[in-house]
Every structure is written in C-alpha cells, then in structure tokens.
Amino acid sequence: MTSKTERDPLSITAAEMRAVMAGPPEPAAELLRAGAHAGLPEAQALYGQILLDGRGVDTSPVEAFHWFRQAASSGHLMAINMVGRCYEKGWGVAADRDAATRCYQIAAEDGLDWGMYNYAGALGLGAGVPKDDAAALAWFQKAAALGHAKSINFVGSFFEEGRCVPQDMNKAAECYRDAAERGDFRGQFNHARMLAQAGQVRDALVWLAACNETCTPPFRARMKAQLEASPITELREAAARF
C-alpha cells in the first residue's frame, strides 16, 4: 500500500490538507511538511501553524515564521496575517508592530476576516497606525458581516459604549448573543453579563461555564474578578468555581 508521504506531494489537495489537520498530529505534520517543501502555499501556511503550536513536531517559532513568509510570498492571505501575528508577538522574529500592522492591512484589504479583525484592533489601539476608532469599527463590521465571531463581539462593545455610534443596548445584546453562539469566549461572557442584568441568571451561568471552558487564563482572571464584585449571589458563587 502506498502511504500519503510516498505520493507526489504536488498531488495533495487543499481539502486533504485541511482534513488531515483534524486527525492524529504526527501524520498531519508529515503530510504538510512534504507539501510545504514541494512549494504548496496552503501546506506551507498550515505547516507553519503546526510548528508554532508544536503539534506533531517540536515547537519552532523560527521555522514557523519561515514557512508563513514562504506562503505569504505567494499571496496566501492567512499566511500574510500570520506573518503579522509573528511580528506582533515576537514569534520567531524580533517584534515589530509597524510590520505587523502592514501585514494585517494587506490581509484585510484583500478580504480576510482575520486580517480585518487584527487591523481593526491595531486601529483601535493606535498600534503601528494612528488611532482611529471609527475606522476600527468599520473593519470590525466588515469582518462581522463575514460571520467572524470575535469581530461581532467587538461591534457589540461599540454599541454598548455608544462609541462612534449611538448607544443601543439592544443591538449590543444581539451582537453578544451572536458572538456567543458562534463560540467566542468574550462574546459568551458579555452575553452572560447582559442576561444576568436582565434577571436571567440561570441562563447567564450556562454561558459563563461555556466561557470558562475556552477562555485564556488572563481573561479568566478578569472574569473571576468581575464576578466576585457582582451584587448577584449566584455570580459570586460561580467565580469561586472558576
């Protein structure tokens, strides 16, 4: 029987590459490495992610950055976005926020939702580009229109705060619910917060538990602190479980 790695690497399809990512890590890494060395941009981008995560291979941010750049040179939008992430975070390369933001802008303007999200974040922070909340909102809205959960959550925050748009708590709640249902942990927390404020504490606890499952440790710490300060007994009790 011929193994996948004995095949001509150029015969590996993009659909096969994406499917193998859901399987055992070592075969996935082997297949994608072959495709990357054969010059396939999709394989190069996915192999870069595997190297960054240490999934089926030793973690190597330097090699990950190399493969992201290889794929980006062919115009692969997610790879361009990931080159930006490497520059932003200092993964395998010296941190350079200006370079990161340029990458995000390219990916955003070429239609990538993650590029739009990251470019919007840079605009909102004034990181590598002049601070511009209105432009940030516009890019978040463009990504949200593509179904990008994290961007939908941030659109909700603009409406809740009345920043660049008239305050609209119903619109904010709608955005948070949508982001939560799409799996964004920040959206899940904000949706839970709005439910609790509306007296739907039992439903809020369900979403808080979902948030706790996938959120980052720094976010969990902030969530716990907010819940501990809540006037609602059930939320304070939930904080102790987190």
Side-chain angles (χ1 to χ4, degrees):
M1 182 179 292
T2 301
S3 71
K4 288 181 178 179
T5 54
E6 292 172 338
R7 293 167 41 192
D8 176 1
L10 293 175
S11 72
I12 303 169
T13 67
E16 185 176 7
M17 293 177 210
R18 290 189 292 271
V20 79
M21 287 286 284
E26 288 78 11
E30 186 178 0
L31 179 68
L32 293 171
R33 179 181 181 279
H37 281 279
L40 301 177
E42 181 75 5
Q44 292 168 343
L46 292 173
Y47 189 51
Q49 190 64 55
I50 278 177
L51 286 161
L52 195 61
D53 297 339
R55 185 176 181 272
V57 294
D58 292 336
T59 302
S60 178
V62 172
E63 284 191 74
F65 179 67
H66 164 76
W67 287 113
F68 288 140
R69 287 191 69 184
Q70 288 292 107
S73 69
S74 299
H76 192 285
L77 292 182
M78 183 56 83
I80 294 170
N81 178 74
M82 289 308 299
V83 169
R85 289 287 286 165
C86 289
Y87 274 123
E88 179 184 350
K89 300 295 185 180
W91 294 334
V93 65
D96 184 336
R97 191 59 204 244
D98 289 348
T101 299
R102 286 195 296 272
C103 290
Y104 296 150
Q105 183 176 4
I106 291 168
E109 290 177 347
D110 282 350
L112 181 70
D113 54 357
W114 277 103
M116 296 173 188
Y117 170 76
N118 286 321
Y119 186 46
L123 286 162
L125 294 171
V129 69
K131 181 176 172 61
D132 188 336
D133 280 345
L137 174 59
W139 281 110
F140 280 134
Q141 288 175 319
K142 287 179 182 180
L146 297 175
H148 191 263
K150 291 183 179 297
S151 295
I152 294 168
N153 172 71
F154 274 96
V155 171
S157 71
F158 276 82
F159 279 102
E160 181 177 6
E161 297 166 15
R163 182 158 43 106
C164 301
V165 289
Q167 187 179 49
D168 187 332
M169 298 302 286
N170 289 331
K171 179 66 174 177
E174 178 184 324
C175 289
Y176 292 151
R177 183 183 67 252
D178 191 6
E181 291 174 349
R182 292 174 186 267
D184 177 52
F185 64 80
R186 290 183 178 85
Q188 290 167 346
F189 175 74
N190 286 327
H191 182 41
R193 181 169 54 80
M194 299 288 270
L195 286 170
Q197 290 172 2
Q200 301 176 51
V201 176
R202 181 174 297 178
D203 290 339
L205 292 173
V206 172
W207 285 108
L208 288 173
C211 174
N212 187 53
E213 287 294 319
T214 60
C215 69
T216 62
F219 187 87
R220 183 177 292 109
R222 293 195 295 274
M223 176 174 67
K224 183 178 176 68
Q226 289 191 42
L227 294 177
E228 287 173 341
S230 173
I232 300 173
T233 301
E234 293 91 336
L235 298 188
R236 294 196 303 274
E237 291 172 348
R241 298 193 292 274
F242 298 156

